[in-house]
Amino acid sequence: MAIVGLIGGTGLGQALAAEVKGKAHDVETPFGKPSGAITRGTWEGVEIAFLPRHGPQHTFSPSCVPYRANIYALKSLGVTHIIASGATGSLREEVRPRDLVIPDQVIDRTFRRSPTYFDEPGIAAHVEFHQPFCSNLRKGLLDCCGAVETTVHDGGTYVCMEGPAFSTVAESRMHRSWGGDLIGMTCMPEAKLAREAEMCYALVSLPTDYDCWRPHDPSVDQRALLAEIIHNVEESTAQCVKLIRAALRNVAGKTLPPCSCHTALDLAVWTRRDALTPAVTDRYGVLLKRFLGTPRR
């Protein structure tokens, strides 16, 4: 049976903290402490583990989120699938604020974050990442579009910038020219780390505004614009909760089909198993447990 990790971003983190009840787990990892305690419980008939990406008081900016510790901690608690959320700006006229988007591609523009688990001598691993989001988990979310009162877009390219400042107009236009549909700050390296940890990962993006490529009404002051964005976050969050609830109800009590995400390391690890030292296997712990327990072929 699946254990679903829920990573709540801006807006949804607070909403899920109010919705999800269970036992709080403080987890230590080889990669430091996660953003906060992880709540394990049952929601809509499914075992879940909830983690607020930015911490319980929203104290971690996107560049400072301990992404490696977060994913490792969820893995250590038995999580098999991750549904994450994140507020974004829209780079397309047709993707309106308060819509929801289930992206299928990503462009990584981050540069201050540890992008991989496999960054030290002792093991070389190269996961396939041409499809950065799990197609099965994306389908599970898209199958539940009828549960929400907003448009849910199937696919889109998420441009992940470093932040924490927002884009210049020139940057926003460039992102559009690259084929970007959404601009955000938290999808990477989260999605890549989930693949390295052999977990299915899908993202629900919450567009809050049109970024800065689309001129704002000059008669509306900055405070009014911010108030509108906050209201859009609240509206999108409510719809996102409904979508996740429906997706969980849809799989409650069911055994999910096998997915290639869960065996991502089989073709990724290039180092011979007999060359992996105890120090390496101890460092990676649960990340390598299934791989090392699989008979050689």
Side-chain angles (χ1 to χ4, degrees):
M1 305 297 287
I3 300 178
V4 179
L6 302 176
I7 300 179
T10 300
L12 194 67
Q14 294 88 329
L16 289 180
E19 289 268 353
V20 177
K21 305 302 179 185
K23 182 180 179 182
H25 294 259
D26 288 307
V27 183
E28 295 283 346
T29 85
F31 303 93
K33 292 185 66 101
S35 298
I38 298 173
T39 302
R40 275 292 305 270
T42 302
W43 195 37
E44 297 297 340
V46 177
E47 281 196 68
I48 61 93
F50 166 64
L51 174 65
R53 181 189 289 120
H54 298 283
Q57 303 299 324
H58 205 110
T59 52
F60 290 94
S61 73
S63 297
C64 299
V65 170
Y67 295 99
R68 296 200 295 181
N70 285 352
I71 297 299
Y72 190 101
L74 290 171
K75 178 78 172 180
S76 70
L77 291 176
V79 167
T80 56
H81 299 69
I82 294 175
I83 299 175
S85 73
T88 60
S90 171
L91 298 173
R92 299 294 160 192
E93 194 77 46
E94 63 272 20
V95 180
R96 299 164 300 177
R98 306 188 196 182
D99 286 355
L100 300 178
V101 183
I102 314 299
D104 62 344
Q105 281 297 322
V106 65
I107 296 173
D108 188 2
R109 290 195 64 227
T110 63
F111 54 86
R112 290 182 55 204
R113 314 169 190 190
S114 297
T116 177
Y117 287 114
F118 303 108
D119 61 349
E120 293 189 5
I123 184 171
H126 310 271
V127 294
E128 289 284 349
F129 202 58
H130 62 292
Q131 298 295 337
F133 302 102
C134 174
S135 58
N136 292 330
L137 197 50
R138 288 187 67 256
K139 183 179 184 300
L141 290 166
L142 291 165
D143 285 347
C144 297
C145 290
V148 301
E149 296 91 41
T150 191
T151 300
V152 181
H153 297 268
D154 178 1
T157 296
Y158 182 123
V159 180
C160 191
M161 62 185 290
E162 185 62 53
F166 296 115
S167 304
T168 67
V169 172
E171 288 169 336
S172 191
R173 290 171 178 166
M174 176 181 69
H175 297 151
R176 279 169 50 81
S177 74
W178 288 353
D181 302 295
L182 303 161
I183 179 72
M185 300 181 189
T186 55
C187 174
M188 295 294 288
E190 194 171 84
K192 187 179 292 183
L193 294 169
R195 182 64 52 82
E196 290 183 343
E198 299 190 315
M199 291 189 283
C200 296
Y201 178 97
L203 178 71
V204 184
S205 293
L206 286 61
T208 62
D209 66 292
Y210 278 112
D211 203 39
C212 59
W213 63 270
R214 189 176 187 261
H216 296 295
D217 184 345
S219 66
V220 180
D221 67 26
Q222 291 293 315
R223 289 184 180 276
L225 284 173
L226 180 58
E228 181 182 350
I229 290 172
I230 292 173
H231 182 60
N232 290 340
V233 170
E234 293 170 348
E235 291 290 322
S236 296
T237 294
Q239 297 303 317
C240 186
V241 169
K242 289 181 181 180
L243 182 65
I244 294 174
R245 276 183 173 276
L248 293 178
R249 283 196 299 269
N250 213 26
V251 300
K254 299 177 183 177
T255 300
L256 299 185
C259 181
S260 60
C261 297
H262 294 144
T263 55
L265 293 182
D266 282 356
L267 299 179
V269 177
W270 290 23
T271 306
R272 289 173 53 93
R273 294 192 193 191
D274 57 12
L276 298 175
T277 66
V280 169
T281 56
D282 287 348
R283 171 175 169 78
Y284 290 101
V286 295
L287 301 180
L288 292 181
K289 183 177 181 180
R290 184 211 60 85
F291 171 76
L292 293 176
T294 303
R296 303 183 194 186
R297 295 179 180 177

